[in-house]
Amino acid sequence: MSETASPQPATTPLDEDAAHLARLGYTYDKQFKREMTFWGNVSLGFTYLSPVVGVYTLFSSSLGLGGPPMLWSFLIVGVGQLLVALVFGEIVSNYPVAGGIYPWARRLWGRKWGWMSGWVYLTAMLVTIAGVAFGAGAYIGAVAGVELGSDSTRMWALILIACATAINLGGTKVLNTIAMLGLIAELAGALVVGFWLLTTSRHHDLSVLFDSFGAGDGGNYFTAFAAAGLIGIFQYYGFEACGDVAEEIANPGRRIPKAMRMTIYIGGFAATFVCLSLILAVPDFGAVISGKDVDPVSSVLESSFGPLGYRLVLGVVLVSFLSCVMSLQAAASRLGYSMARDEMLPGSRLLSKFNEKRHVPPYSLVLAAVVPALVVMASAIQENALVVIVSFAALGIYVAFQMVVLAALRARLKGWQPAGSFRLGKWGVPVNVAALT
């Protein structure tokens, strides 16, 4: 009697994800749960990128520096960052490991390059958390109907960081749910506010987008535009956070590259639309540029929506700030954990500990709360702290991006052939060069 082979158990997508992770060197039992959906992943990137936070934080300073043409920075930076997202998508499809920038740079170039990239990116993300939390202070005061002093602003920033930490300690499923709610609230709020301003409070036509109204007079306007362009630069990072949680989504090699692009499409449109509606609703550009009107956002919103409507709008804005801090913190904690399990950080033994009940790295989350809190408190010694914090954070993020894009180009020229689900094919080198440029 002939023997028949026993049937082999069918493999599931989760088995394949685990096998891919094992081939990359991570085979231990302490693993994240793949409970994040595709739209949850998009939401994480969107709320990290946060068009409302980006626009409302820097609108006043950018309009004052560059006048209405500062809007074009959204389009210029957006196109460039889409190229970066295409490169990142190809990389994460090959290396779907938690932490994003660090594991990508390490596998493309080597341990030392990964170490440097990870440190730059982690520092910048922790400072970004502080910047977003600090920027929420003015809107918290407006909702409460009081003008907050610098000490009160810092106190509320610390409370915001603590709330985000509590949410993140709930695990991936809680993060997924809150991120999706944040996306819905922020996107709906941006569209409603934008359409309302365009239909009821518009003071100008589109020709103002080509008129500096005296901004940068007495010097080179390009310098003024570049300074005002910080609003666009600050806007277009966050899409990489989709890859920071690569071990928490099923089929990451296919889903994350698409989620990155969706984040830029949706977030970029929402940010540009809100910024455009605010620009056209500002009655006097000269007052903003001269410094007489130091808060044109509040002036426009209060005159357009009335006292009650104004506070409701700011309530949505605060939801955006909270979800942004939460997403930033989630991404930073995964990066810290990823570096710590490879013994790349001081205190790696503690930072690499894993809560097997919640499936989160609790001590890395604490790190992503304590360091931003210290930055917030240290802001007391710096005049114009918000712009300084945001500028430092954006510089660090873009340097880390460049390090990965450069590593990818070097790897291609040395023969690296991407083999993930998402591939650029013959366009790989041209897109990589354009992204680096």
Side-chain angles (χ1 to χ4, degrees):
M1 183 174 66
S2 62
E3 293 184 356
T4 59
S6 59
Q8 296 296 314
T11 60
T12 67
L14 293 182
D15 293 333
E16 294 173 3
D17 293 339
H20 192 172
L21 200 58
R23 290 194 296 272
L24 295 172
Y26 301 105
T27 57
Y28 47 82
D29 294 332
K30 297 177 181 178
Q31 293 184 357
F32 291 98
K33 294 189 73 175
R34 295 188 183 272
E35 295 181 324
M36 183 166 285
T37 63
F38 168 75
W39 281 107
N41 195 237
V42 173
S43 300
L44 180 72
F46 178 89
T47 52
Y48 178 154
L49 181 145
S50 190
V52 167
V53 170
V55 172
Y56 283 52
T57 298
L58 293 174
F59 181 84
S60 301
S61 60
S62 289
L63 185 61
L65 287 167
M70 64 88 166
L71 179 80
W72 297 111
S73 68
F74 285 98
L75 302 181
I76 295 169
V77 180
V79 170
Q81 288 299 85
L82 178 59
L83 296 171
V84 174
L86 291 173
V87 175
F88 282 6
E90 197 169 41
I91 298 170
V92 73
S93 190
N94 279 260
Y95 310 119
V97 180
I101 295 291
Y102 155 69
W104 302 341
R106 179 179 176 181
R107 282 163 176 80
L108 288 168
W109 197 320
R111 184 178 177 88
K112 290 182 180 179
W113 192 257
W115 179 85
M116 289 190 293
S117 303
W119 267 99
V120 170
Y121 186 50
L122 181 61
T123 302
M125 284 220 297
L126 296 176
V127 174
T128 301
I129 294 170
V132 173
F134 190 88
Y139 298 103
I140 293 173
V143 170
V146 298
E147 185 174 346
L148 296 183
S150 56
D151 290 339
S152 299
T153 298
R154 284 188 286 274
M155 179 193 72
W156 280 109
L158 297 177
I159 292 173
L160 195 65
I161 292 171
C163 291
T165 306
I167 293 170
N168 272 307
L169 287 171
T172 302
K173 187 174 288 187
V174 173
L175 174 64
N176 184 86
T177 301
I178 299 299
M180 290 186 69
L181 291 175
L183 180 148
I184 293 169
E186 183 167 353
L187 187 57
L191 293 176
V192 169
V193 169
F195 279 117
W196 181 264
L197 292 179
L198 288 176
T199 55
T200 68
S201 303
R202 180 172 172 174
H203 292 282
H204 311 280
D205 59 31
L206 295 178
S207 65
V208 300
L209 301 178
F210 302 91
D211 188 340
S212 68
F213 287 87
D217 275 3
N220 188 336
Y221 180 72
F222 177 79
T223 303
F225 178 78
L230 179 62
I231 191 171
I233 292 170
F234 184 52
Q235 182 62 67
Y236 283 103
Y237 58 90
F239 62 89
E240 81 285 357
C242 300
D244 289 333
V245 294
E247 295 176 33
E248 297 168 70
I249 180 172
N251 196 5
R254 186 177 300 277
R255 289 179 165 183
I256 291 176
K258 184 178 179 181
M260 287 180 174
R261 299 193 302 276
M262 289 291 289
T263 295
I264 288 185
Y265 298 152
I266 300 173
F269 167 77
T272 306
F273 181 66
V274 170
C275 189
L276 174 64
S277 65
L278 284 170
I279 288 173
L280 298 183
V282 172
D284 186 356
F285 296 125
V288 179
I289 293 168
S290 67
K292 292 180 181 178
D293 184 357
V294 296
D295 189 7
V297 173
S298 296
S299 302
V300 166
L301 294 179
E302 191 164 14
S303 64
S304 300
F305 290 91
L308 179 59
Y310 172 58
R311 292 192 182 186
L312 289 175
V313 170
L314 293 188
V316 175
V317 171
L318 288 180
V319 170
S320 302
F321 273 90
L322 174 61
S323 59
C324 183
V325 171
M326 175 200 70
S327 298
L328 277 161
Q329 193 180 63
S333 68
R334 273 51 169 186
L335 171 62
Y337 172 75
S338 183
M339 294 181 69
R341 69 181 175 185
D342 289 347
E343 299 182 351
M344 292 287 195
L345 294 175
S348 287
R349 180 174 297 182
L350 182 65
L351 294 174
S352 63
K353 287 187 179 296
F354 200 81
N355 184 312
E356 297 183 46
K357 181 179 179 182
R358 300 291 183 186
H359 294 271
V360 294
Y363 295 103
S364 289
L365 275 169
V366 170
L367 175 71
V370 171
V371 174
L374 292 175
V375 173
V376 167
M377 290 188 287
S379 68
I381 63 175
Q382 174 64 52
E383 187 178 352
N384 201 17
L386 180 59
V387 173
V388 172
I389 291 172
V390 169
S391 299
F392 178 86
L395 174 64
I397 292 288
Y398 279 78
V399 168
F401 281 14
Q402 286 281 56
M403 292 180 78
V404 173
V405 175
L406 178 60
L409 181 58
R410 174 182 179 271
R412 289 181 202 278
L413 297 178
K414 295 186 70 173
W416 175 56
Q417 295 292 330
S421 301
F422 176 74
R423 281 171 283 185
L424 295 172
K426 65 180 181 180
W427 292 101
V429 172
V431 169
N432 206 150
V433 170
L436 187 62
T437 301

